[in-house]
């Protein structure tokens, strides 16, 4: 048996759960075990911050992260911060 932690987060809260799975378990098995799924808001997966798919195999102690979509393009966010601070963004 292996243990995996699943976590999903929003701006003001987060949820985490630990599941026990068979040794050959995948991310999909972990999602099924805890009753979570991807949807409109949670659109991606990662294991310890590395992009994953539902078929990614899990190892004992892995942390599966359910990821939300970006609200603002990171480059655009940087430009907006630079404008607010009065600095010109570097290319």
């Amino acid at each position: 048996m292996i243990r995996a932690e699943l976590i999903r987060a929003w701006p003001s809260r987060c949820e985490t759960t630990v599941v026990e799975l068979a040794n050959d378990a995948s991310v999909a098995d972990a999602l099924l075990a805890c009753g979570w799924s991807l949807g409109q808001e949670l659109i991606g997966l990662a294991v310890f911050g590395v992009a994953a798919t539902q078929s990614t195999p899990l190892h004992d102690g892995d942390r599966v992260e359910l990821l939300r979509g970006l609200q603002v393009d990171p480059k655009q966010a940087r430009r907006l911060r630079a404008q607010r601070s009065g600095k010109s963004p570097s290319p």
Side-chain angles (χ1 to χ4, degrees):
M1 296 291 280
I2 63 171
R3 290 172 57 102
E5 178 183 20
L6 287 90
I7 186 164
R8 56 186 178 180
W10 296 268
S12 60
R13 67 183 174 97
C14 73
E15 292 179 72
T16 184
T17 187
V18 176
V19 293
E20 289 192 9
L21 306 160
N23 288 332
D24 61 348
S26 66
V27 170
D29 297 322
L31 291 171
L32 185 63
C34 73
W36 291 358
S37 65
L38 297 178
Q40 280 188 343
E41 191 174 12
L42 300 168
I43 61 167
L45 297 163
V47 176
F48 284 118
V50 177
T53 66
Q54 292 194 30
S55 62
T56 301
L58 292 177
H59 303 93
D60 192 38
D62 277 352
R63 182 185 66 226
V64 178
E65 302 146 359
L66 281 77
L67 307 172
R68 293 182 300 119
L70 295 175
Q71 294 179 339
V72 176
D73 175 65
K75 288 181 183 180
Q76 182 62 23
R78 182 175 179 203
R79 286 185 198 105
L80 293 171
R81 284 193 308 272
Q83 285 175 355
R84 285 194 298 263
S85 70
K87 298 178 184 176
S88 65
S90 58

